[in-house]
Each structure stands twice: as structure tokens, then as C-alpha cells.
Amino acid sequence: MNKGCELSRDGDWAVLKVWGEVDLSWSQDVRRQVLDAFAKVRALAVQLDAVSYIDSSGIAALVEGFQHARGKGGRFALLAPSEPVRAVLELARLDRVFPIFADLAAARSTE
């Protein structure tokens, strides 16, 4: 299955677009890219609309990014999680923890 991440900048935000299955085989790469992004910016949005599956290791990578942002006074947001991702977030009740937005403009509107 095709999977990957691509980091881009949009003003003072970085957007990490993730696609494919986020499982134990490469969730550490996602984690590293999330944490590395914070070396460049204080606000990171992870776009999840093209993620077809996410397991607990992938969720852990997102939680670590969220905690890192909170600890450093930064911002962290999830953008447009796909239905499979949203289902996992809701099951773990993390949809109540993560800031989730339809797009970056919506995330920016809460600043």
C-alpha cells in the first residue's frame, strides 16, 4: 500500500500531509516527522484525509505531537481525519482531546 508524509509550510503553520496506512511498520517515521516539524515552526497541523487505517502506534505518534506542542506553547491540530481515523479517535475518546478542523483556515480562525 502506498503511504507517506509530506511537510509543507503555510505562513507560520506547517502542514504534515499523511496518507496510506499508519501502523507499527512506519508510525515511528510519522512520529519523527511530527517532532521534527516543531524544530521549524510552533504550529503544526496533521492532515489525515488520505489515511486509510491507523493503529494505536499511529495514534501514539499524534498524542506525542500534541503533548509536545502543549509543553512548548505551540499549536497542534488534526485536519479532516478520514472516517477510519475518526472512528479510532472517537473510540478512544480522543476526538474530545485533539483540536480537529476541516482545514487549516478553520484551525487558524481559532487563534
Side-chain angles (χ1 to χ4, degrees):
M1 171 118 203
N2 189 18
K3 57 188 171 188
C5 294
E6 182 177 285
L7 186 67
S8 61
R9 289 284 300 262
D10 190 333
D12 55 346
W13 282 77
V15 177
L16 182 65
K17 181 172 178 59
V18 181
W19 63 89
E21 295 184 359
V22 182
D23 58 16
L24 189 58
S25 70
W26 79 294
S27 60
Q28 287 303 310
D29 292 337
V30 174
R31 175 189 169 274
R32 186 181 67 248
Q33 291 207 34
V34 165
L35 297 178
D36 286 353
F38 282 112
K40 301 170 188 160
V41 295
R42 293 187 54 179
L44 174 67
V46 181
Q47 186 172 346
L48 299 166
D49 59 328
V51 173
S52 58
Y53 170 82
I54 191 165
D55 71 4
S56 60
S57 67
I59 294 295
L62 298 176
V63 168
E64 191 169 346
F66 178 69
Q67 291 175 331
H68 181 85
R70 289 185 69 175
K72 301 290 184 185
R75 298 209 54 212
F76 185 86
L78 303 182
L79 302 181
S82 65
E83 278 304 313
V85 172
R86 186 171 289 280
V88 172
L89 292 172
E90 289 174 0
L91 183 66
R93 297 181 185 245
L94 290 171
D95 58 318
R96 301 174 187 182
V97 176
F98 285 115
I100 300 173
F101 302 97
D103 54 33
L104 186 57
R108 281 194 162 121
S109 71
T110 63
E111 291 180 317

